[in-house]
Amino acid sequence: MAALEKNVKVLVVGAGAMGSGIAQIAARAGHTVYLYDGRTEAIAAGRAAIEKDLKFLVAKGKLDAAEAEATLARVVPVAILAGAEDAGLAIEAIVENLEVKRKLFSELEGLLAEDAILASNTSSLSINAMAAGLARPGRIAGLHFFNPAPRMALVEVISGLNTEREVAECLYDTAREWGKMPVHAASTPGFIVNRVARPYYAEALRVLAEHEAEPATLDAILREGCGFAMGPFELIDLIGHDINFAVTKSVFEAYFCDRRYAPSQFQQELVAAGRLGRKTGRGIYEYGELAAKPVPQDEPPQEGESRITVVGDIGAAAPLLARLEAAGIEVRRESGMHGRRGWMQIGAARVALTDGRTATYRAVEEHCPNLVLFDLCLDYSVSTRIGLTRADQCGLGAMRAVVGTFQRAGFKVSVIDDVAGLIALRTVAMLANEAADAVLQGVASARDVDTAMRYGTNYPKGGPLAWADMLGAGFVVDVLANLKEHYGEERYRVSPLLRRKAYNGEALYD
């Protein structure tokens, strides 16, 4: 089934920020849009918000004034639902309450034509539960836009067990016709984005709860070292801890309290204390005119080495070597032991990419007390910050030489306490693991999972599965296994699909 024809009228129920945004998208695409809300004043406010945004786009030169006027004219306020009985598509964007939505869809089913499509903008509720009891459960699906809807490209098209394939395909093609980036997903807790993104918050909250580093430092490593648009604490403060905690809790409960999705007790206490983020003036950080700007911990300048030795293959960190050489550091290369990951000898210290073990434990296993580990970077040739940690046995002098060497190569260096997997690698590994499980369980294809994470959360490297392919599935499996051994928790169990790809050498994403 192709995209909806332009002459098909669209009903949007709910005139808040999300509903008015969806109405604006459909109207710009050429549809007549009925805008309804149970509160009459909300309809006027929603249409005014659309007008304001269209004028903004005109002022920025992104929209022709005549087109803006025509778009607004296609948004038709309706005081009662019966005024939209000729709509061929109804999209609800009302309160996230299952019973309220079910009541609405029952009413819409009795009002609209039998071939009309009913769509929910829910971010987490079950499409199957919404469809239960309807006479035509095959005509309902999820159409999850992201806020702000006119700007965000991603749309998750959610199919329930009874959703007709032609309905899902029509919504997919329509979203694409409307200028969006649609993905297909099955109706499961969190769909794609709200499920796969959980580790981005969870790992940072866990490291913070272990008092391994300050929030600003962890944010900076992930932002400046790994290319994430915002650090996890910045992002949660923006979303609101109450909302973020509630979503995590709902996913946790929906998966029968699977420990992989366990909420953070620390975040629960933040919510209890009313520290919800920007909207309350304080969350992880403080906000307001007098609030100090969060500053990451940067190591003071140190003397680095002018000559280092690389033993074996250092894998994903290989681009680092050219950067060191460009900084005037002589890099000598030696062959390593077969099957053993390589490292760099910098002064008295052995320096290696973290693999999910603590530096202290790894120093004992490798009989090398002066061990320093560095974190994952998006691109070692250009990333501006890197995280380091040292084994408890490592001398401070050896550590300072390593810090100075990275600084000579242009890195801002943040040293954090000895935590398993540091922050960036454990986060990326867990994101890839969750993404792999979503594919394994039929939530979405690998391509749609990575597309969703790129366009819904702006994740770098093409998405978590593409990043895992770059690192190597075997390496990611080892990282997760080491984390599981360190914590002794099912939270870090390896996805069977990820393990299978590690064994057969196939890519997770192609």
Side-chain angles (χ1 to χ4, degrees):
M1 186 174 182
L4 291 175
E5 298 291 338
K6 294 292 191 293
N7 61 357
V8 174
K9 296 173 182 177
V10 177
L11 165 63
V12 176
V13 181
M18 184 59 75
S20 62
I22 295 170
Q24 179 177 328
I25 294 165
R28 279 199 65 180
H31 297 270
T32 295
V33 179
Y34 297 123
L35 184 60
Y36 171 80
D37 196 290
R39 298 177 299 114
T40 305
E41 66 275 14
I43 301 174
R47 196 169 186 275
I50 294 171
E51 183 177 15
K52 180 180 178 181
D53 193 53
L54 292 172
K55 286 181 177 178
F56 171 80
L57 293 174
V58 170
K60 290 291 185 180
K62 297 181 178 180
L63 183 65
D64 180 79
E67 184 182 349
E69 185 177 341
T71 296
L72 187 63
R74 286 192 287 268
V75 180
V76 181
V78 289
I80 58 174
L81 284 175
E85 62 182 357
D86 59 342
L89 168 64
I91 306 171
E92 69 79 15
I94 61 175
V95 63
E96 281 288 89
N97 180 291
L98 180 59
E99 290 309 313
V100 174
K101 291 180 188 290
R102 290 180 68 176
K103 182 180 178 181
L104 171 65
F105 281 125
S106 179
E107 185 177 356
L108 290 173
E109 189 178 52
L111 175 69
L112 305 181
E114 289 189 1
D115 62 350
I117 295 175
L118 308 179
S120 172
N121 185 58
T122 182
S123 61
S124 59
L125 297 178
S126 170
I127 300 301
N128 296 310
M130 288 184 207
L134 293 180
R136 299 184 293 278
R139 305 302 295 176
I140 184 171
L143 194 64
H144 180 209
F145 291 80
F146 287 73
N147 196 29
R151 306 286 187 269
M152 295 293 287
L154 183 68
V155 175
E156 291 178 321
V157 178
I158 317 299
S159 293
L161 292 173
N162 293 310
T163 302
E164 296 170 9
R165 181 172 181 176
E166 68 171 14
V167 168
E169 292 296 339
C170 177
L171 290 174
Y172 184 96
D173 292 342
T174 299
R176 176 166 284 176
E177 186 72 17
W178 290 359
K180 297 302 180 181
M181 181 64 70
V183 293
H184 283 294
S187 181
T188 50
F191 310 142
I192 301 174
V193 171
N194 279 328
R195 171 184 175 168
V196 176
R198 298 326 321 147
Y200 190 62
Y201 317 112
E203 293 309 305
L205 285 165
R206 177 147 204 175
V207 171
L208 184 64
E210 294 178 17
H211 301 283
E212 305 292 359
E214 292 298 312
T217 300
L218 297 172
D219 273 350
I221 292 172
L222 284 162
R223 189 180 60 247
E224 300 169 31
C226 265
F228 289 94
M230 295 181 72
F233 302 119
E234 297 171 308
L235 185 54
I236 302 173
D237 271 4
L238 179 63
I239 295 169
H241 286 270
D242 52 339
I243 295 172
N244 185 265
F245 180 76
V247 172
T248 300
K249 187 177 179 182
S250 69
V251 172
F252 175 61
E253 292 172 350
Y255 279 106
F256 307 105
C257 299
D258 186 334
R259 299 304 298 175
R260 177 176 287 174
Y261 309 105
S264 163
Q265 186 178 30
F266 172 69
Q267 188 177 39
Q268 179 176 254
E269 294 304 312
L270 285 174
V271 174
R275 291 175 52 172
L276 307 183
R278 288 181 177 271
K279 60 187 174 185
T280 60
R282 192 178 185 192
I284 295 291
Y285 303 115
E286 293 190 12
Y287 300 91
E289 292 182 5
L290 301 179
K293 183 179 179 180
V295 178
Q297 176 267 325
D298 289 350
E299 287 298 300
Q302 304 289 344
E303 285 290 330
E305 298 290 330
S306 60
R307 178 183 302 163
I308 71 169
T309 300
V310 180
V311 180
D313 181 4
I314 60 172
L320 176 60
L321 303 181
R323 180 168 178 170
L324 292 168
E325 288 177 320
I329 299 168
E330 181 183 345
V331 178
R332 295 180 175 181
R333 292 168 172 79
E334 295 181 1
S335 59
M337 295 177 60
H338 179 70
R340 185 172 180 179
R341 294 189 179 97
W343 70 87
M344 298 179 291
Q345 191 69 35
I346 300 179
R350 176 180 292 185
V351 183
L353 175 62
T354 180
D355 64 359
R357 294 175 289 175
T358 65
T360 300
Y361 176 62
R362 188 167 166 180
V364 173
E365 281 202 319
E366 298 181 6
H367 308 288
C368 179
N370 282 331
L371 180 65
V372 175
L373 301 180
F374 60 91
D375 210 345
L376 181 67
C377 283
L378 175 66
D379 185 345
Y380 287 98
S381 65
V382 296
S383 293
T384 58
R385 182 178 297 275
I386 196 163
L388 302 179
T389 194
R390 68 182 177 93
D392 291 346
Q393 307 93 315
C394 181
L396 289 175
M399 180 63 171
R400 283 193 288 267
V402 175
V403 169
T405 304
F406 278 94
Q407 288 173 335
R408 285 189 61 176
F411 285 99
K412 289 178 283 187
V413 177
S414 293
V415 174
I416 69 175
D417 203 3
D418 186 17
V419 60
L422 291 171
I423 181 60
L425 181 59
R426 69 187 283 163
T427 298
V428 170
M430 284 292 281
L431 288 170
N433 199 43
E434 194 57 46
D437 251 8
V439 175
L440 177 69
Q441 294 164 14
V443 176
S445 68
R447 184 173 296 278
D448 277 357
V449 167
D450 266 11
T451 297
M453 301 317 291
R454 284 174 59 201
Y455 289 94
T457 61
N458 201 24
Y459 281 2
K461 218 56 172 181
L465 295 175
W467 204 339
D469 283 338
M470 184 274 292
L471 293 171
F475 177 63
V476 177
V477 166
D478 287 347
V479 170
L480 294 165
N482 287 333
L483 287 167
K484 187 173 185 295
E485 181 179 356
H486 175 75
Y487 287 105
E489 296 180 15
E490 280 297 298
R491 174 192 186 100
Y492 298 101
R493 70 182 185 274
V494 179
S495 167
L497 178 61
L498 188 59
R499 193 181 295 278
R500 179 178 178 182
K501 297 299 184 181
Y503 289 152
N504 66 25
E506 293 181 352
L508 285 155
Y509 175 84
D510 51 34

